[in-house]
Every structure is written in structure tokens, then in C-alpha cells.
Amino acid sequence: MSGPFLLRKFARCLLTLLLAVTFVFVVLRLSGDPVQRMLADDVPARVIESYRTMWGLDRPLPEQYLRYISRVVQGDFGVSFRDDRPVAAIIAERIPATLHLGLLALGITLLIGIPGGIVAALNRGRVVDRVVMGITILGHSLPNFLLGILLILYFSMTLRLLPSSGIGTWQHMVMPAITLGTSFAGTVARFTRSAMLEVLNQPYMRTARAKGLGRPARVWRHALPNAAIPIVTVIGLRLGALVGGATVVETVFGYPGIGSLLVNSVAQRDLAVVQGVVLLIAFTMVVTNLTIDLTYGWLDPRIATSGKGAKA
Amino acid sequence: MSALDAHPPARRWFFRPRRRAVKAHQRPSLLVMICLFWLALVVFTAIFAGWLAPFGYTEQSLMNRLKPPAFLGGPAENLLGTDGLGRDVLSRLFFALRTSILVALLGTVIGAVTGTVLGILAAHFRGWVDDIVMVLVDFQASVPFLIVALAVLAFFGNSFVLFVCIVGLFGWETYARLVRGLVLSVSGEGYAFAIRTLGVHPARIYLRHVLPNIAGVLVVQLTLNFPEIILLETSLSFLGLGIQPPGTSLGLALGEGRNYIATAWWIGLPAGMVIFLTTLSISLVGDWVRDALDPSLAQSE
């Protein structure tokens, strides 16, 4: 992978992050005076002034902006309006739960989506293909909050097998992970299928067949590696939707992760926490997509040598 | 993003004006007919909710709280039962449908128009206009939209107009990217060049000549975008951060019903099923439209 290519990628990522920070700052300032929102109407003007000085709200906007950026870079997102604890600490204690859930869900997505797409592509036009594609459309249309509620209704209320909310044991993870994981399996399956179909028609596949390779070898050694880039790209792009879905799923199952923290903070208008979570998610997304861009060279050595293939 | 580029050159067929009409074998299947019928029913109900609903959607009857649907032994006048305040679930479902469809339609129009205009501007002016639009597109695509929507709602509080605008911003970047690419390649076509040499104003070229030629792609994108917009609206309302009571929407109805799920499932589940069936129908009809517009896609995708 060539130097300029990497450099351009990094620059783009930094630009996106800067945009995210700017977006949060602008929205934060546009939305009104946080001091007045936090304090009651009858608080004396002197107290309001002292708060404004304390938070640096009396400075000129460009200075506030630069101070905001420097604080964010140092990982200081301010203090929660609700319980006066640093936002960074509040967020940090929620990260492990969401990571567990997200990785589990991602695993389920890949385990269902990729084999499903491959099977559909190999049996294109047959019953198997139609069934798999039918299921993906069903999965795509079924809102994750509805699926979550239906699962709770059946497995918690009727069968009394699994806890409907909370965290702690592996049973608590089953329904949230399935709800979140299956909601994107369909998309992954569809893209895997079309990426595979494109590859299966290539001349080198015919060559592989002509030289007597068995079907498993053709699929695993020749087709899948060549279909990998579009599949990985789609998974990277869908990660954002996975994060969005996590907010809903965590709320449905009362799962104490980043998503439910965000929803609660929005409901209570705890702006410090909201901006912290938004910046964290933006950062995660940018880093993830950068990582995916970097894996292109490993997935497809042709990109590594020319540096042009994955031009953004 | 080249691997994902929505429009490889192979798709140039869209610009050939007046391609062959829909063929016989692309007539809607029974499944698509059922979906179309359901969508017609949904639109009809949404428009005439006021006449169809047996009760007002805020009309409470505290004597009649949590009554099960008529077919499960509830009172005959409440076909789908009543909720925790004794309001008729069926009537509320009609009005919820109206709100959700209205928000989704407005949102779709806002998103499609914004994206198309920005896409055309980017393609027409190139240079720094193009750069700015594409940076915004990248930014929007890099942060999950639900998160941005939640943040804006947290910062500005909630109102119907703001909510519609937020829903409208969803998906503009897809239209912008799509239209930009299409306009760039159309501009290279002979007919666009011919019109330009006649001295026609650019705005007229785009409105009268380019837009009709890329309409097919836009329609396909609409059918892909619409179910997602419905899901965005219902998700936000379900979380209690979208449409606010006393108003109602499909997501809010399901969210309110969630608290009664153990004892009175009929409050929330009908709204959930309507969301499911509607998004499903649009997806299936969308697939059919796509295949009808482009037979070659049916094979490759």
C-alpha cells in the first residue's frame, strides 16, 4: 500500500473526526445557553455569571471552539448534569457491556449471513436461493424492536426460559444478541450473494473448473477471496447501523450499555453525556472504516502493489 | 468506496431513453398483488382515518380499560380492545398509521429533493462545491444516522417540524452520491452536449432532460429508502423520542404497548405488525419495480 494513499486515508479520517467535533460543538451552542437550561429561573444573575465564567461561556466563540477541541482530544467530555460525575467515567463503565453484545451480534450476523449468501449464490435460481432471499427480505422488514418484543413475549412470558431484561448471566445475552445479530444477517447475505455471483461468472472460475478442482476448493480458494472486498466493505458500512440498532435493542431489553445510556441521556437532556457518546461512536466508526480500508491490501494484494484499486 | 460504487459503467442502460416496456413475464405476481393491495389499504386508511375510526384517538373511557379484542371476549364496539386509558386500539391504530405515513412521506420528499439538488450542484459546478458536498456525504455516511438524530433531538428538544426535518435528512447522502454520479455520466452523453450547444440554460437541461433520464434510478432508490424511513420514524417514536403523546404513531403505539406486553399484548402488537407488513410490502413491490425497470438486474442481484 503506497504512502500517499495511506496519507490521504488518514487525512480524510481526521477531517471526518474534526467535522464530528465541530458538528457537536455547533449544535451544542445553537441549542441555547446550558447554564440557563440547567439552573432554575429564579437563580440570581450573579450565580449565572459565575457558572458562565466557570465553563468558559463568556469567552469569544473561536476560543471556546479551540478549548472544546483541546478538551475532547484529552478525553475530557465534561461533567454529567445529572449526577456530577465525569462523562468519560460514565461512558467507560458502559463500554464492556456494549462490546460484548456488539461482538456477539456481529458473530451471529456473519455466521448466518455469509454462509447464507454463499449457499444462495451457488444455488442461484433454485428453491434454496428463493428461500434464503425470502428470509432476508423478512428479516430486513422486521423492525428489531418488534422482534425483541416478540421474543420477550414468547421466551420470557410464555416459556419463562430467558430473563426479559438486565445483565449478568449468559442467558441475559441470548435474546439481545439474536435480535441485533439477525437484523443485519439479511443484508450481509444479500451482498455476499451478489458479490459471489459476480465472481462465479469470471473466466478464472471456469479455468479452475477445467483444471479439475473440486467444488469446495473452487468456492473457498478462488471465489470467496475474490468476493471478500465488497462483503467486507458492506459489513463496515453496516456497522453504523449495528450501532444504531444497539440503541434500540439495549432499550428493549433493559441492557445497560452505551445505547441505552444514550437514549436515557437524550430523554433527560443530559447534553454532556449525549455529546460524549456521539463523539465516541463517531470515533469508533471512523477507526473501524479505516481499519477496513487497510485490510483491502491484505485481502487483495493487487491493491497493495498498485495503490489504486481502493481509491476512495 | 470503489468496490461499492453504486453505478459501475455497466449500468449505462438507464440512460437509453424509453427502453422496452415492461414485459409480460414481469407482470406482478400474486405476492406483489397482495402487497400492492395492502399498501393501497394503508394509504386509504391513512387518508380517511378520521371517517373510518369508530372513536377519537384521545377519547378515553376509564370504565373500559384494558379490555381485550372483541374476538377474545371484549366489548363488541372495541374490535381490537382498549388500552390502559380505555382508548380504542383500532381507532388509535388508524391515526397512528396516518402520522407515520405522513412523516415518512414528508421525510422522503425532503431527503430526495435535498439529495438530488446537492448532487446536481456538485456535478454541475465540480471544484470546491463538489468537494464540500462529498465531504458532507462522507460525514453523514460515517456516523450512524440514528445517533445523529438522537443528538439533535436531545439538543433542540422535540417538535413535529423538527422531527420531520430530521427524518427528512435521512438518506439524502445516498441520493446526492447517486445523482452526482449519474449527472456526471449523462453530461458526457451526446444528447446533453447537443442541448448545451443550443444554448439552453443549465437549470432547464437538468429539469427537462437529465432528470427524466435518471428518474428510473431515483424511483428504485425511493423504494429502497422508504421502508428505512418508516423504520427510523418508528424506532425514534418507539424510544419515546419521536412523535410525542397525545399524538400517536405506529412506533409510539408499540412503545406504549410494551409496558403492557405481559397482560395486554393487543395494545402494541397490532401497530408492530402493521409496521412489519408495510415495510415488507414496500420492499417486495420495490424489488418488482426494480426488476421491471431492468431485467438484467434480476439475474445479477
Side-chain angles (χ1 to χ4, degrees), chain B residues 221-254:
Chain B
Q221 182 54 33
L222 271 178
T223 63
L224 289 174
N225 192 245
F226 198 75
E228 301 209 359
I229 281 218
I230 291 189
L231 288 182
L232 174 72
E233 183 275 322
T234 49
S235 297
L236 285 169
S237 298
F238 174 81
L239 293 173
L241 303 167
I243 300 293
Q244 297 295 317
T248 180
S249 91
L250 292 175
L252 185 60
L254 181 58

Side-chain angles (χ1 to χ4, degrees), chain A residues 139-161:
Chain A
H140 186 69
S141 310
L142 186 64
N144 47 17
F145 46 89
L146 180 61
L147 177 62
I149 285 181
L150 290 176
L151 287 178
I152 290 180
L153 200 59
Y154 190 65
F155 289 101
S156 303
M157 307 287 176
T158 312
L159 296 182
R160 303 198 173 274
L161 269 180

Side-chain angles (χ1 to χ4, degrees), chain A residues 118-284:
Chain A
I118 294 176
V119 167
L122 293 178
N123 295 289
R124 167 178 165 193
R126 296 197 204 128
V127 179
V128 184
D129 184 21
R130 300 183 74 97
V131 169
V132 171
M133 285 302 102
I135 294 175
T136 64
I137 293 183
L138 281 181
H140 186 69
S141 310
L142 186 64
N144 47 17
F145 46 89
L146 180 61
L147 177 62
I149 285 181
L150 290 176
L151 287 178
I152 290 180
L153 200 59
Y154 190 65
F155 289 101
S156 303
M157 307 287 176
T158 312
L159 296 182
R160 303 198 173 274
L161 269 180
L162 296 165
S164 67
S165 70
I167 187 174
T169 62
W170 64 268
Q171 286 101 326
H172 285 102
M173 304 288 294
V174 176
M175 290 196 295
I178 289 180
T179 310
L180 192 53
T182 50
S183 56
F184 298 106
T187 318
V188 172
R190 281 190 93 96
F191 274 98
T192 306
R193 178 177 176 273
S194 56
M196 285 294 285
L197 283 182
E198 208 137 290
V199 171
L200 288 177
N201 285 332
Q202 298 290 328
Y204 56 73
M205 290 308 294
R206 213 180 318 135
T207 310
R209 188 169 182 175
K211 73 180 184 185
L213 274 184
R215 186 154 154 163
R218 293 204 306 269
V219 171
W220 293 106
R221 297 275 309 133
H222 294 262
L224 201 54
N226 281 299
I229 285 198
I231 298 176
V232 169
T233 309
V234 167
I235 292 170
L237 289 176
R238 295 311 291 189
L239 274 183
L242 195 72
V243 172
T247 59
V248 176
V249 171
E250 285 182 7
T251 308
V252 170
F253 289 101
Y255 186 89
I258 297 287
S260 52
L261 174 70
L262 177 64
V263 171
N264 290 337
S265 308
V266 171
Q268 300 172 342
R269 302 198 73 182
D270 191 343
L271 302 188
V273 176
V274 172
Q275 47 121 0
V277 174
V278 170
L279 290 178
L280 173 78
I281 291 174
F283 180 74
T284 316

Side-chain angles (χ1 to χ4, degrees), chain B:
Chain B
M1 213 150 286
S2 64
L4 252 194
D5 225 342
H7 286 277
R11 286 214 191 162
R12 294 292 281 281
W13 43 261
F14 259 130
F15 311 129
R16 270 180 238 146
R18 301 256 166 198
R19 210 157 184 285
R20 68 190 94 139
V22 177
K23 278 190 191 165
H25 70 267
Q26 284 148 358
R27 270 199 215 111
S29 64
L30 183 65
L31 187 62
V32 172
M33 290 300 282
I34 295 174
C35 293
L36 283 171
F37 175 74
W38 170 260
L39 291 178
L41 194 68
V42 161
V43 172
F44 180 80
T45 313
I47 295 174
F48 297 106
W51 284 279
L52 290 173
F55 296 90
Y57 69 101
T58 51
E59 200 176 318
Q60 302 181 6
S61 162
L62 293 177
M63 304 298 291
N64 263 332
R65 295 174 60 235
L66 299 174
K67 290 282 187 253
F71 54 86
L72 288 178
E77 68 269 25
N78 302 116
L79 270 183
L80 286 180
T82 59
D83 69 2
L85 294 171
R87 298 174 296 195
D88 183 45
V89 171
L90 184 68
S91 306
R92 287 182 64 75
L93 187 63
F94 288 170
F95 284 100
L97 194 62
R98 165 184 278 186
T99 316
S100 287
I101 297 294
L102 180 69
V103 171
L105 276 180
L106 287 175
T108 304
V109 171
I110 295 175
V113 170
T114 315
T116 306
V117 169
L118 284 178
I120 290 181
L121 287 180
H124 180 75
F125 291 107
R126 308 300 315 266
W128 60 270
V129 181
D130 195 12
D131 283 338
I132 290 181
V133 171
M134 289 322 279
V135 163
L136 285 177
V137 165
D138 273 359
F139 173 65
Q140 175 106 43
S142 71
V143 183
F145 189 77
L146 191 67
I147 306 298
V148 176
L150 284 174
V152 174
L153 287 173
F155 290 127
F156 293 108
N158 198 325
S159 71
F160 185 77
V161 175
L162 178 70
F163 185 60
V164 168
C165 290
I166 290 175
V167 173
L169 278 184
F170 176 80
W172 73 266
E173 82 276 10
T174 330
Y175 291 102
R177 194 183 284 155
L178 210 60
V179 169
R180 174 180 171 274
L182 290 171
V183 170
L184 281 181
S185 50
V186 164
S187 304
E189 300 268 322
Y191 76 88
F193 180 74
I195 306 165
R196 208 175 310 123
T197 48
L198 287 175
V200 178
H201 191 268
R204 190 180 157 84
I205 299 182
Y206 289 121
L207 274 178
R208 290 290 306 276
H209 300 279
V210 174
L211 220 46
N213 268 294
I214 63 176
V217 188
L218 288 182
V219 168
V220 169
Q221 182 54 33
L222 271 178
T223 63
L224 289 174
N225 192 245
F226 198 75
E228 301 209 359
I229 281 218
I230 291 189
L231 288 182
L232 174 72
E233 183 275 322
T234 49
S235 297
L236 285 169
S237 298
F238 174 81
L239 293 173
L241 303 167
I243 300 293
Q244 297 295 317
T248 180
S249 91
L250 292 175
L252 185 60
L254 181 58
E256 288 176 339
R258 185 176 146 230
N259 302 325
Y260 295 95
I261 199 73
T263 50
W265 54 265
W266 57 85
I267 299 176
L269 285 194
M273 292 318 288
V274 170
I275 301 173
F276 175 48
L277 292 177
T278 308
T279 46
L280 182 64
S281 300
I282 302 170
S283 295
L284 289 173
V285 171
D287 275 359
W288 169 68
V289 170
R290 211 173 333 168
D291 291 351
L293 282 173
D294 174 29
S296 68
L297 259 183
Q299 289 158 17
S300 72
E301 218 168 325

Side-chain angles (χ1 to χ4, degrees), chain A residues 82-133:
Chain A
R82 292 286 144 184
D83 54 5
D84 267 348
R85 290 170 55 217
V87 170
I90 295 180
I91 293 179
E93 68 187 27
R94 298 274 194 138
I95 289 180
T98 292
L99 268 187
H100 287 161
L101 177 61
L103 290 178
L104 215 54
L106 187 62
I108 293 175
T109 302
L110 300 184
L111 276 181
I112 299 176
I114 292 185
I118 294 176
V119 167
L122 293 178
N123 295 289
R124 167 178 165 193
R126 296 197 204 128
V127 179
V128 184
D129 184 21
R130 300 183 74 97
V131 169
V132 171
M133 285 302 102

